[in-house]
Amino acid sequence: MKSKVIAHMDMDAFFAAVEQRDNPSLKGQPVIIGADPKGGEGRGVVSTCSYEARKYGIHSAMPISIAYRKCSHGVFLRGSARKYKQVSSQIFDILYDFTPDMELVSVDEAFLDITGSYHFYQTPYKTCLAIKDRIKKEARLTASIGIAPVKMVAKIASDLCKPDGLLEIRPGKVLDFLWPLPIEKLWGVGQQTQKTLNAMGIRTIGELAKYSVEKLNARLGVHGRHLSDLANGIDERDVYVDDEIKSVSHEHTFEKDIADLSEVYGILSFLSEKVSRRLRKYELKGKTITLKVRLSDFKTVTRTHTFDERVNFFDNIYKQAKGLFDAYYKPSMRIRLLGVRMSNFDDPYVQESLFESPVARKREKVHKAIDLIKDKFGEGAIRRARNN
Ligand code: TTP
Ligand code: MG
């Protein structure tokens, strides 16, 4: 299987860098963006600060009063959200010139799937150099970019090469790169998980990778296998292209590869429900359903069905997902991952609903009411009887 090429771009000290750019007297100064410090009495927190200010131990989310104590001669600014948004869209426009396969993560951060587009610049490295170059020329700011076969590794790489860095981790080098790093660099390892793992004698990603998955699961529940996968450089997440909604999908990776059909149907029902709710939330209906199945040996297949009309109800989606699965399934299979996707939204929903029967409209109302209750009281508030 050919690996993907994912780039993770993150601007350096974003808000502070914009202020330094627009006011050259701030260059080289500790600049702190956030609440008014009011001579050390101010409330509120630091949004971000320049790298010069970081030398004083200041960081995002720190109380502004503490930042003031650490560096009272720093330049404290409130910042301008409007200006940062404008610069942010300028940066994303530049990125769009390189690939439309982009997932915006925050105001200054995006994943790009450049698997199909890096050839224009010969290599992934040269592509990302060109991106950095354009950001430098057009926005007069620096970005750091990590390149790797999976999202998580690209993100860690961009973080480690800051500021103004570019770091490529080739497919064969992922484990050499990851294993010496401390576990807290992994996605999903917060302070609590870090403590638990440390207590088990696990400090580096390499130690986590070699630890028994069963023992990890016993201590951390479902999280265990996921973390073990990440530590071994396995990250199932694709770059989620969200500029316009082209498809709505949900996936589930099993804690253990499974052969039990009732478990499969349970998850298909759960995924269909999630997809159905998202479709209704966005007022979309899809004509095409795609089932994704990954087996224990990582073989991945997709099976597609086109409905006669556009749908967004759970019953239709689940029935087809199950039908597609049953047509593919053989008893020897061990299932690692399942996914359900709905796409093909061409016709505007509003127009189509003009021709719907009163019965369909009534169902629509019932479903929306259920969604509202669930939004208010949580997923468990209403359970659907499943008919396998
Ligand atoms: P980050 O990318 O986390 O930080 P940064 O760009 O300032 O610095 P780095 O070089 O380490 O990437 O966040 C981007 C912007 O989002 C940041 O400039 C300010 C804003 N922000 C907040 O307002 N509050 C926060 O807690 C964080 C983390 C960021
Ligand atoms: Mg940043």
Side-chain angles (χ1 to χ4, degrees), residues 48-62:
T48 191
C49 61
S50 65
Y51 278 74
E52 293 83 357
R54 293 183 195 195
K55 288 186 194 139
Y56 294 85
I58 301 175
H59 57 77
S60 296
M62 171 183 274

PDB file of all heavy atoms in Angstrom, residues 48-62:
ATOM      1  N   THR A  48      -1.057  34.539  23.424  1.00  0.00           N
ATOM      2  CA  THR A  48       0.215  33.993  22.979  1.00  0.00           C
ATOM      3  C   THR A  48       1.285  35.048  23.223  1.00  0.00           C
ATOM      4  O   THR A  48       0.979  36.163  23.647  1.00  0.00           O
ATOM      5  CB  THR A  48       0.194  33.594  21.495  1.00  0.00           C
ATOM      6  OG1 THR A  48       1.374  32.840  21.191  1.00  0.00           O
ATOM      7  CG2 THR A  48       0.159  34.819  20.586  1.00  0.00           C
ATOM      8  N   CYS A  49       2.529  34.693  22.955  1.00  0.00           N
ATOM      9  CA  CYS A  49       3.601  35.669  23.115  1.00  0.00           C
ATOM     10  C   CYS A  49       4.713  35.365  22.116  1.00  0.00           C
ATOM     11  O   CYS A  49       4.786  34.247  21.584  1.00  0.00           O
ATOM     12  CB  CYS A  49       4.120  35.660  24.549  1.00  0.00           C
ATOM     13  SG  CYS A  49       4.792  34.084  25.050  1.00  0.00           S
ATOM     14  N   SER A  50       5.560  36.369  21.877  1.00  0.00           N
ATOM     15  CA  SER A  50       6.658  36.183  20.937  1.00  0.00           C
ATOM     16  C   SER A  50       7.686  35.220  21.538  1.00  0.00           C
ATOM     17  O   SER A  50       7.693  34.976  22.751  1.00  0.00           O
ATOM     18  CB  SER A  50       7.322  37.529  20.638  1.00  0.00           C
ATOM     19  OG  SER A  50       7.925  38.037  21.815  1.00  0.00           O
ATOM     20  N   TYR A  51       8.547  34.678  20.683  1.00  0.00           N
ATOM     21  CA  TYR A  51       9.556  33.738  21.189  1.00  0.00           C
ATOM     22  C   TYR A  51      10.489  34.426  22.189  1.00  0.00           C
ATOM     23  O   TYR A  51      10.985  33.790  23.113  1.00  0.00           O
ATOM     24  CB  TYR A  51      10.305  33.083  20.020  1.00  0.00           C
ATOM     25  CG  TYR A  51       9.506  31.927  19.441  1.00  0.00           C
ATOM     26  CD1 TYR A  51       8.382  32.164  18.647  1.00  0.00           C
ATOM     27  CD2 TYR A  51       9.820  30.620  19.752  1.00  0.00           C
ATOM     28  CE1 TYR A  51       7.619  31.125  18.157  1.00  0.00           C
ATOM     29  CE2 TYR A  51       9.059  29.554  19.263  1.00  0.00           C
ATOM     30  CZ  TYR A  51       7.957  29.812  18.468  1.00  0.00           C
ATOM     31  OH  TYR A  51       7.199  28.783  17.998  1.00  0.00           O
ATOM     32  N   GLU A  52      10.694  35.737  22.030  1.00  0.00           N
ATOM     33  CA  GLU A  52      11.523  36.478  22.989  1.00  0.00           C
ATOM     34  C   GLU A  52      10.887  36.426  24.378  1.00  0.00           C
ATOM     35  O   GLU A  52      11.587  36.304  25.386  1.00  0.00           O
ATOM     36  CB  GLU A  52      11.679  37.953  22.558  1.00  0.00           C
ATOM     37  CG  GLU A  52      12.475  38.174  21.273  1.00  0.00           C
ATOM     38  CD  GLU A  52      11.647  38.012  19.990  1.00  0.00           C
ATOM     39  OE1 GLU A  52      10.449  37.668  20.098  1.00  0.00           O
ATOM     40  OE2 GLU A  52      12.193  38.218  18.889  1.00  0.00           O
ATOM     41  N   ALA A  53       9.529  36.490  24.423  1.00  0.00           N
ATOM     42  CA  ALA A  53       8.837  36.459  25.721  1.00  0.00           C
ATOM     43  C   ALA A  53       8.844  35.051  26.307  1.00  0.00           C
ATOM     44  O   ALA A  53       8.778  34.866  27.523  1.00  0.00           O
ATOM     45  CB  ALA A  53       7.400  36.949  25.558  1.00  0.00           C
ATOM     46  N   ARG A  54       8.920  34.042  25.442  1.00  0.00           N
ATOM     47  CA  ARG A  54       8.899  32.646  25.939  1.00  0.00           C
ATOM     48  C   ARG A  54      10.138  32.345  26.765  1.00  0.00           C
ATOM     49  O   ARG A  54      10.119  31.471  27.626  1.00  0.00           O
ATOM     50  CB  ARG A  54       8.758  31.671  24.770  1.00  0.00           C
ATOM     51  CG  ARG A  54       7.388  31.820  24.107  1.00  0.00           C
ATOM     52  CD  ARG A  54       7.120  30.857  22.987  1.00  0.00           C
ATOM     53  NE  ARG A  54       5.960  31.335  22.227  1.00  0.00           N
ATOM     54  CZ  ARG A  54       5.260  30.628  21.367  1.00  0.00           C
ATOM     55  NH1 ARG A  54       5.595  29.373  21.130  1.00  0.00           N
ATOM     56  NH2 ARG A  54       4.241  31.157  20.738  1.00  0.00           N
ATOM     57  N   LYS A  55      11.224  33.095  26.490  1.00  0.00           N
ATOM     58  CA  LYS A  55      12.458  32.876  27.275  1.00  0.00           C
ATOM     59  C   LYS A  55      12.236  33.189  28.749  1.00  0.00           C
ATOM     60  O   LYS A  55      12.973  32.718  29.609  1.00  0.00           O
ATOM     61  CB  LYS A  55      13.584  33.776  26.735  1.00  0.00           C
ATOM     62  CG  LYS A  55      14.105  33.321  25.392  1.00  0.00           C
ATOM     63  CD  LYS A  55      15.304  34.136  24.959  1.00  0.00           C
ATOM     64  CE  LYS A  55      15.599  33.903  23.493  1.00  0.00           C
ATOM     65  NZ  LYS A  55      15.955  35.147  22.785  1.00  0.00           N
ATOM     66  N   TYR A  56      11.205  33.996  29.039  1.00  0.00           N
ATOM     67  CA  TYR A  56      10.912  34.338  30.437  1.00  0.00           C
ATOM     68  C   TYR A  56       9.944  33.324  31.060  1.00  0.00           C
ATOM     69  O   TYR A  56       9.468  33.515  32.169  1.00  0.00           O
ATOM     70  CB  TYR A  56      10.307  35.745  30.519  1.00  0.00           C
ATOM     71  CG  TYR A  56      11.278  36.835  30.119  1.00  0.00           C
ATOM     72  CD1 TYR A  56      11.453  37.178  28.783  1.00  0.00           C
ATOM     73  CD2 TYR A  56      12.034  37.506  31.084  1.00  0.00           C
ATOM     74  CE1 TYR A  56      12.355  38.163  28.408  1.00  0.00           C
ATOM     75  CE2 TYR A  56      12.937  38.487  30.720  1.00  0.00           C
ATOM     76  CZ  TYR A  56      13.097  38.817  29.377  1.00  0.00           C
ATOM     77  OH  TYR A  56      13.996  39.791  29.018  1.00  0.00           O
ATOM     78  N   GLY A  57       9.612  32.290  30.326  1.00  0.00           N
ATOM     79  CA  GLY A  57       8.705  31.260  30.847  1.00  0.00           C
ATOM     80  C   GLY A  57       7.233  31.588  30.633  1.00  0.00           C
ATOM     81  O   GLY A  57       6.361  30.956  31.227  1.00  0.00           O
ATOM     82  N   ILE A  58       6.966  32.583  29.772  1.00  0.00           N
ATOM     83  CA  ILE A  58       5.563  32.940  29.513  1.00  0.00           C
ATOM     84  C   ILE A  58       5.010  32.027  28.411  1.00  0.00           C
ATOM     85  O   ILE A  58       5.732  31.670  27.479  1.00  0.00           O
ATOM     86  CB  ILE A  58       5.468  34.428  29.089  1.00  0.00           C
ATOM     87  CG1 ILE A  58       6.044  35.300  30.216  1.00  0.00           C
ATOM     88  CG2 ILE A  58       4.020  34.825  28.774  1.00  0.00           C
ATOM     89  CD1 ILE A  58       6.123  36.777  29.873  1.00  0.00           C
ATOM     90  N   HIS A  59       3.734  31.633  28.541  1.00  0.00           N
ATOM     91  CA  HIS A  59       3.102  30.807  27.510  1.00  0.00           C
ATOM     92  C   HIS A  59       1.603  31.062  27.456  1.00  0.00           C
ATOM     93  O   HIS A  59       1.042  31.689  28.377  1.00  0.00           O
ATOM     94  CB  HIS A  59       3.396  29.316  27.746  1.00  0.00           C
ATOM     95  CG  HIS A  59       2.962  28.838  29.106  1.00  0.00           C
ATOM     96  ND1 HIS A  59       1.647  28.582  29.415  1.00  0.00           N
ATOM     97  CD2 HIS A  59       3.673  28.593  30.237  1.00  0.00           C
ATOM     98  CE1 HIS A  59       1.567  28.184  30.673  1.00  0.00           C
ATOM     99  NE2 HIS A  59       2.774  28.187  31.200  1.00  0.00           N
ATOM    100  N   SER A  60       0.962  30.555  26.380  1.00  0.00           N
ATOM    101  CA  SER A  60      -0.493  30.690  26.204  1.00  0.00           C
ATOM    102  C   SER A  60      -1.215  30.165  27.437  1.00  0.00           C
ATOM    103  O   SER A  60      -0.777  29.188  28.050  1.00  0.00           O
ATOM    104  CB  SER A  60      -0.972  29.880  24.996  1.00  0.00           C
ATOM    105  OG  SER A  60      -0.428  30.382  23.824  1.00  0.00           O
ATOM    106  N   ALA A  61      -2.336  30.810  27.756  1.00  0.00           N
ATOM    107  CA  ALA A  61      -3.239  30.401  28.842  1.00  0.00           C
ATOM    108  C   ALA A  61      -2.702  30.700  30.247  1.00  0.00           C
ATOM    109  O   ALA A  61      -3.378  30.438  31.240  1.00  0.00           O
ATOM    110  CB  ALA A  61      -3.624  28.915  28.737  1.00  0.00           C
ATOM    111  N   MET A  62      -1.507  31.257  30.331  1.00  0.00           N
ATOM    112  CA  MET A  62      -0.973  31.629  31.652  1.00  0.00           C
ATOM    113  C   MET A  62      -1.712  32.896  32.132  1.00  0.00           C
ATOM    114  O   MET A  62      -1.978  33.793  31.333  1.00  0.00           O
ATOM    115  CB  MET A  62       0.522  31.934  31.504  1.00  0.00           C
ATOM    116  CG  MET A  62       1.174  32.532  32.734  1.00  0.00           C
ATOM    117  SD  MET A  62       2.921  32.921  32.410  1.00  0.00           S
ATOM    118  CE  MET A  62       3.665  31.363  32.770  1.00  0.00           C
TER     119      MET A  62
END
